[in-house]
């Protein structure tokens, strides 16, 4: 991954409380996993979405950045959380809300 892309991804995940790298966007998710992740996150506050289908460099770059092979990917307060399955587990245990509320502490 080149330094410019890494800097862009760093800036994106650190400048928004909740970032969702997804296929599609908030108005038109392009896959069920992305739609589910968005549905879990939206009640917790503003979700900054990044459409990985719009840029092949970002689509591969975010996988390299997080060392995670699949999309969607969620960052909360600059920290990588996981994909939609992990989000679902956290939400079921009530921990997803706590992560957002903790403000990265």
């Amino acid at each position: 991954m080149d330094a410019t892309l890494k800097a862009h991804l760093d800036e994106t995940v650190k400048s928004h409380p909740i970032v969702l790298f997804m296929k599609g966007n908030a108005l038109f998710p392009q896959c069920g996993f992305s739609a589910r992740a968005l549905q879990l996150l939206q009640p917790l506050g503003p979700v900054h979405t990044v459409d990985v289908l719009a840029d092949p460099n970002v689509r591969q770059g975010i996988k390299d950045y997080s060392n995670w092979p699949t999309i969607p990917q969620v960052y909360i307060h600059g920290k990588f959380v996981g994909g939609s399955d992990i989000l679902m587990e956290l939400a079921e245990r009530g921990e997803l809300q706590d992560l957002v509320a903790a403000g990265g502490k």
Side-chain angles (χ1 to χ4, degrees):
M1 170 186 330
D2 73 15
T4 305
L5 180 56
K6 184 179 183 315
H8 171 70
L9 294 172
D10 278 340
E11 175 63 26
T12 301
V13 302
K14 292 177 181 163
S15 61
H16 306 278
I18 303 172
V19 180
L20 174 61
F21 289 87
M22 65 183 288
K23 294 177 181 174
N25 59 48
L27 296 175
F28 193 61
Q30 296 287 304
C31 88
F33 295 110
S34 292
R36 181 169 63 171
L38 186 63
Q39 196 172 29
L40 290 168
L41 292 168
Q42 282 180 319
L44 305 177
V47 178
H48 178 77
T49 60
V50 177
D51 181 359
V52 300
L53 299 177
D55 185 341
N57 291 326
V58 171
R59 185 175 186 172
Q60 183 56 49
I62 194 60
K63 294 176 184 180
D64 297 339
Y65 182 81
S66 63
N67 197 28
W68 189 263
T70 59
I71 305 291
Q73 293 188 15
V74 176
Y75 288 78
I76 296 177
H77 301 296
K79 293 185 173 74
F80 177 64
V81 175
S84 64
D85 290 346
I86 290 172
L87 276 187
M88 187 67 119
E89 290 172 18
L90 290 170
E92 287 171 357
R93 295 194 307 250
E95 296 173 20
L96 184 57
Q97 299 85 338
D98 295 344
L99 270 177
V100 174
K105 295 180 179 87

